[in-house]
Amino acid sequence: MLVCDIGDKGAVVFFSGLEMQEDEGGGTAIRGMVHRTSEMAKRFEMPNLQRLAYEIKNDPTIGFSEAKRRTKLPVEDGLRWQAFREEYLLPANPSPTGSLEQQPFLDPRLSELILQLSSPTERNDATIYLPFLIDDPSRASAWNISAEIRHTFYNLLATLLTPPSSTPFQSIKE
């Protein structure tokens, strides 16, 4: 998500970085670090982060300074560079209700699911990929504990889709 050109107002918040905290009024707030890719690129003196990611992907052994230096040089393999950039292009209509700027608080996995469900050709085969879950057998499963959060997100997703989705969500336990 950080490599995608999501515009000047676009930002990424990693779901794993969210935490519940008490706010000044005694209520509860969800807080997380917001990564604004355009601001990061400006600090690194680059137009965006794509070229930096391309250099690191091509040679994972180089450090940040070397990758940044290489971004100032011409690209050696134009076809490979273009193929890399195409992996991170956003579709013309990224969400069912408008632009990504109107939905700034979505986890990348949920964003991918929304994109799939908003496409008439992919709606029936929508898939969400979750990270491996490594549980301690002596404790309650994280999958069960997070069921309420997943249920809330799926309900939110259902309200964002127009017309309402008839696609059932499956829960698979192992």
Side-chain angles (χ1 to χ4, degrees):
M1 288 300 294
L2 292 174
V3 179
C4 291
D5 187 4
I6 55 178
D8 290 339
K9 295 181 182 177
V12 176
V13 177
F14 293 107
F15 191 66
S16 61
L18 295 178
E19 56 187 43
M20 301 283 282
Q21 292 182 347
E22 193 171 312
D23 63 14
E24 293 98 26
T28 303
I30 299 175
R31 299 186 192 228
M33 182 171 290
V34 176
H35 303 279
R36 299 193 191 289
T37 56
S38 62
E39 290 177 14
M40 292 168 70
K42 284 178 190 170
R43 274 186 274 151
F44 299 148
E45 300 171 347
M46 300 174 189
N48 59 47
L49 300 178
Q50 288 182 344
R51 180 69 192 277
L52 181 68
Y54 173 76
E55 294 299 337
I56 292 171
K57 183 178 180 183
N58 281 340
D59 188 356
T61 63
I62 63 172
F64 177 81
S65 297
E66 176 60 18
K68 184 179 173 187
R69 184 190 70 76
R70 290 183 186 182
T71 64
K72 309 269 189 237
L73 304 173
V75 177
E76 291 179 13
D77 187 349
L79 292 175
R80 199 160 138 188
W81 163 239
Q82 189 59 34
F84 177 84
R85 289 185 65 212
E86 287 175 4
E87 288 180 44
Y88 298 99
L89 290 177
L90 296 176
N93 183 16
S95 70
T97 59
S99 70
L100 287 178
E101 292 175 358
Q102 294 171 332
Q103 299 176 8
F105 304 113
L106 295 178
D107 174 81
R109 293 168 292 227
L110 190 60
S111 297
E112 178 63 27
L113 183 61
I114 288 174
L115 286 173
Q116 290 177 39
L117 291 174
S118 66
S119 167
T121 58
E122 295 184 37
R123 176 170 250 159
N124 293 331
D125 295 322
T127 304
I128 185 169
Y129 295 96
L130 299 173
F132 287 106
L133 181 64
I134 302 173
D135 271 340
D136 179 352
S138 66
R139 301 177 74 189
S141 172
W143 181 258
N144 293 337
I145 292 171
S146 65
E148 197 172 304
I149 294 170
R150 288 192 317 278
H151 181 75
T152 302
F153 276 120
Y154 294 151
N155 283 330
L156 173 65
L157 176 62
T159 62
L160 291 175
L161 296 174
T162 308
S165 173
S166 61
T167 306
F169 292 98
Q170 291 183 327
S171 174
I172 301 172
K173 289 185 179 182
E174 292 187 17

